Amino acid sequence: MNDGKGRALWIRHPLAALVPDGVDARGGLLVRDGVIEAVIAAGETPAEPHDVFDASRHVVLPGLINTHHHFYQTLTRAHPAAINRELFDWLKALYPLWARLTPDHLRIATRLALTELMLSGVTCASDHHYVFPKGLDEAMDIQAEEAAALGMRIVLNRGSMNLSVRDGGLPPDSVVQDADTILADCERAIARHHDPAPGAMTQVALAPCSPFSVTRELMAETAALAGRCGCALHTHLAETFDENAFCEATYGCRPVDYLEETGWLTGRTWLAHGIHFNDEEMARLGRAGVGVCHCPTSNMVLASGQCRTRELEAAGVAVGLGVDGSASNDSSNLMEGVRHALMIGRLTYDASLTHLDALRWATEGSARCLGRSDIGTIAPGRQADLALFTLDELRFSGAHDPLAALVLCGAHRADRVMIAGRWTVEDGAPVGVDIAALRHAHGEAARAFMDG
């Protein structure tokens, strides 16, 4: 009898799997029609006919979820004009270079960043694109097309900047837009790309860049639009002491007060960095249901500070992980970011912060930041988004706990990745992508940004 269901895939007998406490997944997972149908205990066998993937060499994770990135910045990694600088000076050095960004530049940068993320085990990526030089009006469409071609889930963050240097902000006039243009394109992007349904491959969030690059009016109008359209809100906040000082000098309040005054203290909001909050502010964020994306690598590169992850979670704030831009991280590897989150977390606290905490931030915590309950966990009914790693490299020889080994021994490349039930990485290679050609094309594009 045909019940309308597709043929199932049994991912059989994994070496280990990251599953909720008390769940036995030693028998593996059953995937059908893009969804996890069952988690199979040791000794159990699915009853009906199915295809089989032997996972006995693999450690199975929920697909990692990257909740903050700037894809275009892959074109300006390790740039001489910006290395060894902290945030504001780093931005001032790079803004004039980013003003050269064209549609073709953004397309190849997006393709490379998404491929790099997927190879690190990422199955859903949120990109915060806020640089709109003349001619780049269709940035959201370019990113949506590239994600669809690779089979990657994506949250398109329609970023914005309307406060340039002449208005007291940081960015040059050449990369900002007026508020009417911004809001009109936000509505267009939502209408064209936002899918609110469970299992969505493409969603849209509204994402003014930061307090020092947008006006108070644009922050408030963006929040109102997101409320009407049911979209999430995202911005950088409390990343550096300089940012806090800017808010106090310009708006007469600290960043969380500014969020509240502009209508951003809502469960639809997640923030990038969130380093310099005090205890009272963390409590307010938790009560409002705001999430924070922890970006440990870029925080260390830019000497921005140490996110108080433990206190944020205690206050009820969802903590996720992000690689941040590939000109402040210089990589797009979230598995590497998991390790960095563990290391800086132990330096901040103690050894009771574990590899499981860091993996949880990159999966369940990140899903909560994005307001999604269909991804981030291996459980029946969840989307079949999985990252499978082997322990075959020399770095893992002698490791006894497979899950801990991924983090402590420095896993950085998945052997297999599944998104919505479809393999997008096989044997360590992205399906349908010519890596050598991509590297060459991206390297050629980056030449346009070489001189300072």
Side-chain angles (χ1 to χ4, degrees):
M1 180 173 126
N2 185 352
D3 59 5
K5 292 183 178 180
R7 188 172 176 86
L9 173 66
W10 181 17
I11 300 175
R12 184 175 65 189
H13 301 156
L15 185 62
L18 182 64
V19 292
D21 288 344
V23 174
D24 181 358
R26 288 175 292 174
L29 314 172
L30 196 66
V31 171
R32 191 197 307 271
D33 296 334
V35 174
I36 298 170
E37 184 169 277
V39 177
I40 301 166
E44 294 182 356
T45 301
E48 61 182 79
H50 47 262
D51 297 322
V52 175
F53 175 77
D54 180 6
S56 58
R57 293 173 48 245
H58 293 86
V59 181
V60 182
L61 303 181
L64 306 183
I65 302 169
N66 179 41
T67 51
H68 187 67
H69 204 156
H70 308 292
F71 293 165
Y72 72 91
Q73 290 183 16
T74 58
L75 295 162
T76 54
R77 302 191 218 239
H79 199 286
I83 55 177
N84 306 325
R85 294 175 183 259
E86 295 185 14
L87 180 65
F88 276 24
D89 289 336
W90 176 87
L91 284 170
K92 289 174 183 177
L94 289 174
Y95 274 140
L97 299 180
W98 296 336
R100 304 172 189 174
L101 196 67
T102 68
D104 287 344
H105 291 146
L106 179 62
R107 184 174 294 281
I108 196 67
T110 297
R111 188 178 306 164
L112 185 130
L114 285 169
T115 303
E116 195 178 354
L117 286 169
M118 196 160 60
L119 287 171
S120 77
V122 170
T123 55
C124 180
S126 175
D127 188 62
H128 189 182
H129 185 81
Y130 56 82
V131 174
F132 285 85
K134 189 172 181 178
L136 200 56
D137 301 330
E138 297 180 351
M140 297 297 97
D141 309 305
I142 290 169
Q143 293 195 309
E145 289 164 10
E146 290 298 321
L150 285 169
M152 176 75 88
R153 291 190 203 276
I154 193 167
V155 180
L156 305 167
N157 290 216
R158 205 306 179 178
S160 55
M161 298 193 294
N162 73 329
L163 191 68
S164 68
V165 171
R166 71 180 177 189
D167 303 313
L170 281 187
D173 295 342
S174 56
V175 296
V176 303
Q177 298 174 302
D178 65 79
D180 289 343
T181 298
I182 290 165
L183 293 168
D185 194 56
C186 287
E187 292 196 65
R188 185 194 69 83
I190 292 167
R192 183 166 184 179
H193 298 297
H194 183 61
D195 179 0
M201 294 298 294
T202 307
Q203 295 188 328
V204 174
L206 303 185
C209 180
S210 61
F212 50 82
S213 59
V214 298
T215 61
R216 182 193 294 264
E217 292 74 21
L218 182 58
M219 284 287 288
E221 289 173 10
T222 301
L225 176 58
R228 293 194 300 272
C229 296
C231 281
L233 289 163
H234 184 55
T235 192
H236 300 89
L237 207 75
E239 182 176 359
T240 66
F241 287 120
D242 286 343
E243 182 189 313
N244 283 14
F246 180 93
C247 280
E248 291 171 340
T250 306
Y251 304 118
C253 61
R254 285 175 58 83
V256 174
D257 299 319
Y258 183 63
L259 279 190
E260 185 164 28
E261 290 175 8
T262 54
W264 278 64
L265 273 190
T266 165
R268 292 190 311 277
T269 298
W270 89 100
L271 308 169
H273 302 289
I275 297 169
H276 299 291
F277 294 133
N278 61 35
D279 292 348
E280 185 269 340
E281 289 165 342
M282 287 189 285
R284 289 165 65 190
L285 294 171
R287 288 195 297 270
V290 174
V292 167
C293 172
H294 177 30
C295 302
T297 309
S298 70
N299 292 349
M300 290 187 281
V301 168
L302 295 176
S304 298
Q306 294 164 242
C307 181
R308 298 171 66 194
T309 52
R310 188 166 273 179
E311 289 91 338
L312 284 166
E313 287 199 304
V317 176
V319 173
L321 279 190
V323 299
D324 200 8
S326 290
S328 60
N329 178 319
D330 302 300
S331 176
S332 302
N333 191 313
L334 192 58
M335 196 66 213
E336 179 182 70
V338 171
R339 187 169 192 258
H340 289 166
L342 174 66
M343 299 307 175
I344 196 171
R346 287 193 171 179
L347 186 63
T348 304
Y349 301 108
D350 54 42
S352 65
L353 193 143
T354 76
H355 62 284
L356 296 176
D357 292 317
L359 288 168
R360 173 170 48 80
W361 295 335
T363 53
E364 293 179 54
S366 285
R368 285 183 60 201
C369 282
L370 298 182
R372 298 194 64 154
S373 58
D374 58 339
I375 57 177
T377 305
I378 293 175
R382 299 295 180 102
Q383 292 294 301
D385 291 5
L386 304 168
L388 284 66
F389 294 80
T390 66
L391 303 182
D392 297 340
E393 297 173 71
L394 293 179
R395 71 179 71 217
F396 299 113
S397 185
H400 295 275
D401 182 319
L403 285 170
L406 291 183
V407 184
L408 295 174
C409 302
H412 64 279
R413 187 158 182 163
D415 181 67
R416 286 255 172 173
V417 174
M418 174 180 282
I419 303 176
R422 183 174 74 86
W423 293 118
T424 58
V425 172
E426 296 180 345
D427 300 323
V431 175
V433 177
D434 184 332
I435 291 289
L438 176 58
R439 173 64 181 87
H440 175 75
H442 185 273
E444 288 297 306
R447 291 178 181 275
F449 303 86
M450 284 178 65
D451 57 306

